[in-house]
Amino acid sequence: VTSSPLTPVTLNDVAREAGVSLATASRSLNGGNRRVNDAYRERVMAAAAKLNYTPNLSAQAMAKGASSIVALVVSDIADPYFSSLAAGVISGAEKAGLIVTTAVTHGDSERELELVRALRGQRPRAIVLSGSRYAGEGSQKALIAELKAFESTGGRVVLITQREMPFATVLFDNYNGARSLAVTLVQQGYRRFAALAGVDTLMTSRDRLSGFMDGLEEHGISVDRQHIITTDFTREGGYRAAIELISRDIADVELVFAVNDVMAIGAMSAFRDSGRSLPDSIAVAGYDDISTARDMTPALTTVRIPLEDAGARAFELAFASEPRNDDLITVKGTVVIRESTPHR
Amino acid sequence: VTSSPLTPVTLNDVAREAGVSLATASRSLNGGNRRVNDAYRERVMAAAAKLNYTPNLSAQAMAKGASSIVALVVSDIADPYFSSLAAGVISGAEKAGLIVTTAVTHGDSERELELVRALRGQRPRAIVLSGSRYAGEGSQKALIAELKAFESTGGRVVLITQREMPFATVLFDNYNGARSLAVTLVQQGYRRFAALAGVDTLMTSRDRLSGFMDGLEEHGISVDRQHIITTDFTREGGYRAAIELISRDIADVELVFAVNDVMAIGAMSAFRDSGRSLPDSIAVAGYDDISTARDMTPALTTVRIPLEDAGARAFELAFASEPRNDDLITVKGTVVIRESTPHR
DNA sequence: CTGTTAGCGCTTTCAA
DNA sequence: TTGAAAGCGCTAACAG
């Protein structure tokens, strides 16, 4: 097959090759409703195959006024939490014949806003946002305005984990998950706790922490302020916080709850590096159940949230037949007790 | 601001609002070379801001015959290996103002081919492919043809890790990395090894295995066939293979080398579940240095490859000023000895 | 420097 | 059913 270089094959080429009109070629290749003579149709298909034709998605998007794109915004695609979510969104989208564009904010809200604007340019069918949105942030208003503008032109917005925004949302029941975890741990005999949390404006962190604390309180247990450390929401943050905790005298602390698994894993390494054996000298629990949690030694007690499934549901929410902005899917967590928190 | 619903603001709207021609509006907003009166320019900017205008990327792509998209194809975005690579590609692309679309093959070559075709429809500037390509596969020809067709229309193709394909490639020096690892382990006193590998047609696996074997051979050590297990390239594969290994009598095996970290981690869990303490009863080494490797207990000995950096370099390769198909970047690995392989 | 105009590739009325 | 033709929103000659 010889085609002129640097110029992709167009539908026109296919039509000419098949000896039919452009319209017929278009209808054969796409026109859902078979409004075209079989003989023609086959000739078109053959020509398309012969020329190795690929429809220009931009042109299609222009002509029909709707793209086949879903935009996904996450904080950090290398983080297993977000990459699992992304896997779910992508698998849903691919099943529906849609393409996913991925952008990364690194937790920066300014950047998030910029990205949403840029992605809007693609005129995606939906934007799925799963950053770590902070409560009551100034830029929140601007983001909402931007997303509202997107919706007003027919786009769909779905949030994962960001509460109190006027859009469809997939929510993890962080409060109750953490609460159940606390209750279970108390039942296991733990009484004295410490906690590693993200900044208080980070909803996910706040909900998990307060759920955990409330669970303890039900059993009359409270946690010393000294034993709650605020740190980055990352492995390194967990590591540093654990070191800090050690320096604050934790002789009587039996268990450290980190608001996510990567922090818990960092903390475990810190404890070990400081010469403490796990789980004997101190127990650790996390949240998320990322895939390596069970491979830790001791295997990490945590709350499992079905991340990939949640990503898939976010996608579905975006394409629900009757979408509403108060759509809210709450995904429950399941307490998973492992060796990092043995019975006392 | 009231704009008609369901119809995004167009450049025309902006031009009208600013009282200038369409061309002037276009030049103000984009036209790299400032060929426009400052007064006009400002009016256009103001109008654009007021109307919250976002350029339609599809339209731009059509008009200039070039999109702002980079397509990325990976086997599994939830796998830390690929998500780190993706993070690198995405960060490079975002710096360059490009958008990344991500597709997932799940290791299926048919699907990979389909995806490449579909992605071609976006007329991306480049396609970055980082699946687990198998050597000498039938579908390889079709894939090459498809990618060549893409190149012939001005697109760039960059492969990560797939050797012997006529495209620019970022290669990991798997053979030598594994060889160094073997030599180092022998120096540490190990003599009797077992290995967990992927199918032999999987290049990455093959190279790592043969490098490791050759490294051992330099020291006159060979590995019993019984002690080389072929399995899936995943955590589960590693787990199953370790169980299988145990059933084959490994009383004399001192160290198990898994061709990647997730397999090694699976194997560690299997050994532990079978009541073997690590690293006393058996040592384990992996490859990749995914982020959780150092958080294992014992911390996992492995070969570090700078995944995110490699992703970024793949992106750069795609936009090299003078791209050539025989461009080849080889990324070296660094042996990282940790507690999973103590001195004997 | 600015405006007019001709497309980019495709879908979709509208006639035939 | 089929074909001709009018756009979709934008850029890039081409004239003024």
Side-chain angles (χ1 to χ4, degrees), chain B residues 199-327:
Chain B
V199 289
D200 196 52
T201 48
L202 189 55
M203 293 287 216
T204 301
S205 175
R206 195 208 288 189
D207 291 346
R208 291 177 183 181
L209 185 61
S210 64
F212 194 82
M213 293 305 162
D214 288 358
L216 295 182
E217 203 156 317
E218 287 173 27
H219 292 268
I221 297 174
S222 66
V223 177
D224 187 345
R225 292 229 157 209
Q226 281 285 314
H227 292 160
I228 302 180
I229 306 217
T230 297
T231 184
D232 286 350
F233 216 55
T234 62
R235 187 260 181 205
E236 297 310 327
Y239 190 97
R240 282 198 308 272
I243 297 290
E244 168 70 19
L245 197 58
I246 290 168
S247 78
R248 318 240 275 229
D249 174 28
I250 50 163
D252 62 337
V253 170
E254 299 160 348
L255 186 149
V256 175
F257 167 61
V259 296
N260 72 32
D261 283 351
V262 291
M263 290 169 73
I265 289 170
M268 286 172 81
S269 281
F271 288 134
R272 199 168 296 120
D273 289 354
S274 309
R276 302 181 184 243
S277 72
L278 301 175
D280 310 329
S281 85
I282 194 153
V284 176
Y287 205 111
D288 285 342
D289 197 25
I290 61 175
S291 62
T292 43
R294 66 176 163 176
D295 292 315
M296 291 293 122
T297 317
L300 183 63
T301 286
T302 185
V303 178
R304 168 177 307 156
I305 45 184
L307 260 2
E308 187 157 345
D309 183 58
R313 304 200 44 194
F315 173 81
E316 286 161 18
L317 211 44
F319 292 87
S321 44
E322 248 182 79
R324 300 165 29 172
N325 275 345
D326 54 355
D327 272 344

Side-chain angles (χ1 to χ4, degrees), chain B residues 91-106:
Chain B
S91 82
E94 288 189 352
K95 265 173 219 147
L98 300 175
I99 284 173
V100 177
T101 69
T102 313
V104 173
T105 65
H106 295 291

Side-chain angles (χ1 to χ4, degrees), chain A residues 108-119:
Chain A
D108 177 347
S109 337
E110 301 278 314
R111 182 82 187 119
E112 185 176 37
L113 184 58
E114 276 179 41
L115 284 172
V116 168
R117 299 215 71 214
L119 291 172

Side-chain angles (χ1 to χ4, degrees), chain B residues 11 26 30 53 60 63:
Chain B
L11 188 54
S26 173
N30 179 332
Y53 167 74
Q60 286 194 166

